[in-house]
Amino acid sequence: MAAPLPRLRFAPSPTGYLHVGGARTALFNWLYARKHGGQMLLRIEDTDKARSTDESTRAIFEGLTWLGLNWDETVVHQGANLERHRADANRMLENGTAYRCFCTQGELAQRRAAAEANKAAFKYDRRCDRLSELEIKLHVEHGKPFTVRFRVPNGTTSWDDLVHETIAFPNKDIEDFIVLRTDGTPIYNMAVVSDDIAMAITLVMRGDDHISNTPKQIMLYRALGAELPQFAHLPMIHGMDGKKLSKRHGATAVGDYQHLGILPSAMVNFLALLGWAPGNDIEIMTVQEMIELFDTKGLQKKAAIFDTKKLEWMNGQHLQLLPVDELVARVTPALVAVGLTTEADLASRRDWYLALLDLLKVRARTADDIVRQAAPYFLQSVEYDAEAVAKQWKDRSSTAIILRGVRDALAALPDWNSSAMEEALRALAEQLGFGDKAGRIFQPLRVALTGQSASPGIFDVLMILGRARSLARIEAAVALIEATP
RNA sequence: GGCGGUAUCGUCUAGGGGACUAGGACACGGCCCUCUCAAGGCUGGAACACGGGUUCGAAUCCCGUUACCGCUACCA
């Protein structure tokens, strides 16, 4: 007998952007579904009309799509299922697991305040459950508004959580909670359970802020005669100060990281490691590997702190692993956008472009870093960094001598290749009395070629710049130095 | 307040009674490589919240304390 394929869902409320915590919940649901060949559904919990916006629904789609977390079947909009939610609540009214409550919000608030004044825990006193048939009938006939309350049975409600072990709640601590408002709309737990049953969800994997909703939901499943799903409660994600991740902590939306130049593969890898470990000290993984390795056994119980430093490092790792085509696809638009080049230009000298990317990517943690370093290789003339000039061209006259020497040595080369250049320049260093300290001429040269005191290896720079541009830049540097006293 | 959850280096984690002088990664320091900057390699400092048990033996099991987090709405 084959076990039925698991069906999971990610159920965000569209009240903001896709938060990294939500993204991670989605990721774990997705990994589980993909690993076991099950389904991963998406449900937008838009029953709170006041706070839900189409814009955030779009942001959720975009965020998930960017991360590569695709979903099966069509998106379920909770708000569209209102009739079923109501019908399910009424079914409980009929089968006696729920009852009408005619207490008003004002009365309830008053009793709650009174209880608090006495330092007592407030719990609905079930007074409406003691109403006689006749009283109820009269109230209804008079059109008195009522909510539907679930009648919490005696006993204990427990389940075997996939992350925690057994979690148990004494039912006596749970009040007869409302499932349907006076206006006939469902309360969260009602809507969730009704939908999860309708969607045939077999594993509910969500944030552990829902642990205390779970016993209520389990009771609802039972009242509706539905089979229970499994539950897995994932730990929260906190900011560096240990508090729940919020706007104060800076970027918390996955879209923020997308715009920061983070790769989706790195984001997914990083998120996966927040609250899950495959064991064996494995850290850098492709999505495929994560799917293969994923196991609820490796899920953590403790909240994790979101450390952007590690994310950046991880992005650098993924950047090195990125296939050239994808790297090109990512960097090209950015280079074009900042006006350094055009697509046609890059296409016309693709080998050169790929060689450049190879040199720059090892020095970059994000695709944006590559763009930031790229200017000297595209622009006609260099912009000199003042600090680099002050440091490397400190002694003008000797710098002029060095650069003229470099120019002559390179110009004399029959062939523009790095080993010949290295041989010639090291010989020049020797000749100028620097011995094996060839850096004494490489550094001023680096500034002449790139304007910076840091760059890829000097011979790589000469090669990528080419003979004409290299010599022109050295010439320009010499002229500049000689023009200034 | 009540109920629930959690507790290993600053951070992410390995660990599921003896293999622990507690391992890896990020960050930080040092060294190597080296023309600079990265990358890479080596290396250093850095943790089992506390107190009781159970056991020949506990980071690992149990209880308590503390701290933190969540829920306690006709929010989701």
Side-chain angles (χ1 to χ4, degrees):
Chain A
M1 47 155 265
L5 293 177
R7 282 170 70 84
L8 298 88
R9 84 312 195 264
F10 173 53
S13 336
T15 54
Y17 296 99
L18 180 61
H19 186 275
V20 292
R24 196 203 45 174
T25 301
L27 170 62
F28 287 164
N29 273 283
W30 185 85
L31 286 173
Y32 190 98
R34 295 295 170 256
K35 159 118 188 185
H36 296 96
Q39 270 101 43
M40 154 77 173
L41 313 189
L42 178 60
R43 179 171 75 227
I44 302 296
E45 307 215 319
D46 53 358
T47 51
D48 186 348
K49 297 283 182 239
R51 291 195 296 155
S52 302
T53 66
D54 290 345
E55 195 197 346
S56 34
T57 301
R58 270 197 305 280
I60 288 166
F61 292 162
E62 277 168 25
L64 293 175
T65 304
W66 177 65
L67 291 170
L69 306 181
N70 57 334
W71 54 90
D72 302 303
E73 304 181 8
T74 50
V75 176
V76 174
H77 288 269
Q78 189 161 64
N81 300 326
L82 192 98
E83 288 310 324
R84 174 168 35 70
H85 301 153
R86 194 174 292 162
D88 280 342
N90 285 328
R91 200 142 58 82
M92 294 194 294
L93 216 42
E94 281 158 28
N95 72 19
T97 50
Y99 58 93
R100 292 182 180 81
C101 172
F102 299 92
C103 299
T104 66
Q105 285 188 70
E107 290 164 354
L108 257 13
Q110 225 168 52
R111 283 179 233 154
R112 184 172 294 121
E116 272 163 23
N118 280 341
K119 291 202 179 278
F122 175 76
K123 210 178 115 190
Y124 182 63
D125 61 8
R126 292 186 152 164
R127 66 178 66 189
C128 287
D129 195 20
R130 291 188 293 270
L131 258 26
S132 68
E133 290 287 327
L134 182 62
E135 286 171 304
I136 295 171
K137 194 167 168 246
L138 286 174
H139 281 324
V140 171
E141 273 169 13
H142 288 210
K144 190 162 188 204
F146 62 87
T147 59
V148 175
R149 272 189 197 271
F150 181 74
R151 184 183 295 111
V152 172
N154 292 326
T156 298
T157 303
S158 70
W159 72 95
D160 292 318
D161 199 275
L162 258 42
V163 175
H164 303 81
E165 330 234 306
T166 303
I167 300 180
F169 283 79
N171 291 2
K172 67 173 173 55
D173 293 324
I174 303 171
E175 72 168 356
D176 285 356
F177 54 95
I178 293 173
V179 291
L180 220 53
R181 300 185 182 92
T182 25
D183 66 0
T185 59
I187 234 61
Y188 174 74
N189 285 314
M190 182 71 238
V192 166
V193 170
S194 179
D195 284 351
D196 283 338
I197 292 171
M199 292 163 79
I201 299 303
T202 63
L203 169 56
V204 172
M205 195 185 279
R206 80 241 288 199
D208 67 15
D209 47 341
H210 286 292
I211 286 180
S212 31
N213 279 323
T214 306
K216 296 179 186 173
Q217 295 186 190
I218 287 175
M219 291 185 235
L220 256 20
Y221 274 93
R222 290 188 176 136
L224 291 167
E227 203 176 318
L228 285 179
Q230 285 187 291
F231 292 96
H233 288 95
L234 274 7
M236 306 270 83
I237 296 180
H238 290 169
M240 282 306 276
D241 56 359
K243 296 259 165 33
K244 190 173 165 175
L245 202 60
S246 71
K247 306 277 183 295
R248 286 186 304 107
H249 296 99
T252 54
V254 308
D256 295 339
Y257 292 95
Q258 179 179 1
H259 299 307
L260 253 28
I262 296 295
L263 298 168
S265 61
M267 193 70 198
V268 164
N269 193 164
F270 178 70
L271 252 19
L273 257 25
L274 241 40
W276 174 66
N280 296 114
D281 296 331
I282 295 172
E283 297 229 283
I284 302 297
M285 289 172 279
T286 63
V287 171
Q288 248 340 292
E289 290 167 327
M290 281 179 244
I291 292 173
E292 280 156 28
L293 260 17
F294 190 75
D295 186 349
T296 53
K297 296 254 185 307
L299 254 17
Q300 193 78 14
K301 298 187 183 79
K302 185 182 65 160
I305 290 174
F306 194 86
D307 180 7
T308 49
K309 278 277 195 299
K310 188 151 183 174
L311 207 210
E312 283 165 21
W313 166 79
M314 192 163 276
N315 201 62
Q317 298 293 310
H318 279 263
L319 205 58
Q320 310 309 317
L321 295 174
L322 202 64
V324 278
D325 286 349
E326 287 179 42
L327 183 64
V328 166
R330 209 159 284 280
V331 176
T332 303
L335 287 172
V336 172
V338 296
L340 283 176
T341 180
T342 62
E343 298 227 15
D345 169 48
L346 294 178
S348 73
R349 43 175 179 158
R350 188 169 167 92
D351 287 348
W352 173 86
Y353 180 37
L354 297 185
L356 176 66
L357 287 183
D358 247 6
L359 293 180
L360 300 185
K361 77 172 184 188
V362 69
R363 295 170 170 77
R365 291 203 143 187
T366 67
D368 293 15
D369 285 343
I370 294 181
V371 175
R372 274 192 283 278
Q373 298 176 60
Y377 310 99
F378 286 101
L379 265 23
Q380 204 39 246
S381 55
V382 271
E383 268 183 52
Y384 299 103
D385 175 71
E387 238 175 86
V389 167
K391 188 168 178 214
Q392 306 300 346
W393 292 356
K394 196 160 192 230
D395 183 333
R396 303 249 154 186
S397 61
S398 65
T399 302
I401 292 168
I402 290 169
L403 291 180
R404 274 199 299 267
V406 170
R407 176 197 60 195
D408 296 342
L410 293 179
L413 252 29
D415 192 28
W416 195 255
N417 72 69
S418 49
S419 54
M421 291 186 285
E422 176 152 15
E423 201 178 316
L425 295 190
R426 288 199 187 273
L428 176 67
E430 191 85 34
Q431 186 189 321
L432 290 175
F434 297 137
D436 61 354
K437 297 265 196 298
R440 297 282 293 276
I441 69 176
F442 293 163
Q443 280 303 90
L445 174 58
R446 189 184 314 281
V447 176
L449 293 174
T450 68
Q452 311 287 323
S453 53
S455 81
I458 200 72
F459 304 108
D460 287 328
V461 171
L462 284 163
M463 288 305 290
I464 211 83
L465 247 24
R467 181 187 174 101
R469 224 160 20 139
S470 297
L471 293 176
R473 285 194 183 171
I474 298 169
E475 199 65 62
V478 170
L480 179 68
I481 290 166
E482 287 178 339
T484 34

